[in-house]
Structures are given as C-alpha cells and as structure tokens.
C-alpha cells in the first residue's frame, strides 16, 4: 500500500457525509473529513476509511494482473452480499 497524500485527495470527497458516523449519532463528525464511496457500482453510500476499517468493511480484491491487489470498501449492505 502506498501512503496517502492529503493534497491528492479529490476535493469532492470532503463534501460527502459518513453514513456510519451518522448512524452512530456522531453528526458533527459525519460531515468532517474525506469519505470514500461504496465500491459497489451505483451505490452512493459514503464513509470515512477509518470508520469502515473499525466496522470491518474494508477488503482486498484482485486487480488487473497477477500481483495487482486493490484495497476497497463496501457499505454494510453490499459487504454482507459478498
């Protein structure tokens, strides 16, 4: 895995709201920081990477090539469908 460079994070990710924080009653934290979107095509659920990590929603998937692994996250609904 490569380090995260905050200046390289797309600005629109800071405009998303973490649904995990929101569900847990942390509304003030839900709109703070950058969020990623569920890796399931068409799903718009957004969450902080650390929230997904604590919830066990991050995983590794095989990418294009034998040694290429993609680290991704899913919302609770789509993770349960894997």
């Amino acid at each position: 895995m490569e380090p995260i460079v905050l200046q390289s994070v797309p600005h629109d990710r800071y405009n998303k709201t973490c649904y995990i924080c929101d569900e847990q009653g942390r509304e003030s934290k839900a709109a703070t920081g950058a969020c990623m979107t569920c890796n399931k095509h068409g799903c718009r659920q957004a969450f902080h990477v650390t929230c997904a990590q604590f919830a066990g929603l991050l995983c590794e998937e095989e990418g294009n090539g034998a040694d290429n692994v993609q680290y991704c996250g899913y919302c609770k609904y789509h993770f349960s469908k894997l």
Side-chain angles (χ1 to χ4, degrees), residues 5-17:
V5 178
L6 292 178
Q7 293 84 355
S8 300
V9 175
H11 185 69
D12 67 318
R13 290 190 181 195
Y14 289 93
N15 297 329
K16 299 181 184 301
T17 301

Side-chain angles (χ1 to χ4, degrees), residues 11-43:
H11 185 69
D12 67 318
R13 290 190 181 195
Y14 289 93
N15 297 329
K16 299 181 184 301
T17 301
C18 176
Y19 87 93
I20 298 171
C21 283
D22 202 40
E23 283 181 352
Q24 294 178 352
R26 300 180 310 199
E27 292 85 8
S28 62
K29 291 196 181 253
T32 304
C35 291
M36 65 181 289
T37 305
C38 178
N39 205 53
K40 177 70 174 173
H41 183 72
C43 183

